[in-house]
Amino acid sequence: MRSPRRCSRNGCPRQAVATLTYVYNESTAVVGPLAAFAEPHTYDLCEPHARSLTAPRGWEVVRHEGEFEPPPPTTDDLVALAEAVREAARPAPRPPQDDQAQQASPPTTSSRRGHLRVIPPTH
């Protein structure tokens, strides 16, 4: 199950139900139903922010007149894959080692951070 997208306004915890897109060459702000996918140059808005949006002087606001409804919950293989990768990237807790075992083991040149690993060069 994918987590709901949140409103893009700072500090707003509500679920997004609308998408704001700016059309700069026409000086227009378009507020419509929530887009299927989050795009880099659009903003997701909750219903109160979608209804109360104002544009700069000289700009026009084109607003969806119907109801803004939250998207139905869906399962998405790509989102599930991303969540699995995030989970795998979390570092595993290290088992406690006694002082003698630490001193006896030689230091390693490879280290692990998240899902990236530094591999020492081969000579």
Side-chain angles (χ1 to χ4, degrees), residues 6-18:
R6 298 285 174 203
C7 182
S8 296
R9 297 289 299 260
N10 285 337
C12 183
R14 292 186 283 262
Q15 181 179 1
V17 296

Side-chain angles (χ1 to χ4, degrees), residues 42-90:
T42 62
Y43 302 90
D44 294 337
L45 299 174
C46 63
E47 187 166 1
H49 285 126
R51 298 254 181 241
S52 65
L53 179 87
T54 59
R57 185 173 289 142
W59 281 58
E60 180 182 357
V61 176
V62 176
R63 195 180 323 264
H64 173 71
E65 293 299 325
E67 291 295 318
F68 289 113
E69 296 179 13
T74 61
T75 56
D76 187 348
D77 291 338
L78 186 58
V79 172
L81 179 61
E83 289 173 359
V85 168
R86 265 190 233 110
E87 183 65 29
R90 290 191 182 118

Side-chain angles (χ1 to χ4, degrees), residues 17 24 26 31 53-54 58 74 87 96-97 101-102 107 115 119:
V17 296
Y24 292 99
E26 295 179 16
V31 180
L53 179 87
T54 59
T74 61
E87 183 65 29
Q97 296 180 349
Q102 283 182 338
H115 66 284
I119 301 174

Side-chain angles (χ1 to χ4, degrees), residues 109-121:
T109 56
S110 62
S111 62
R112 181 168 168 81
R113 286 190 182 173
H115 66 284
L116 301 177
R117 189 170 42 154
V118 177
I119 301 174

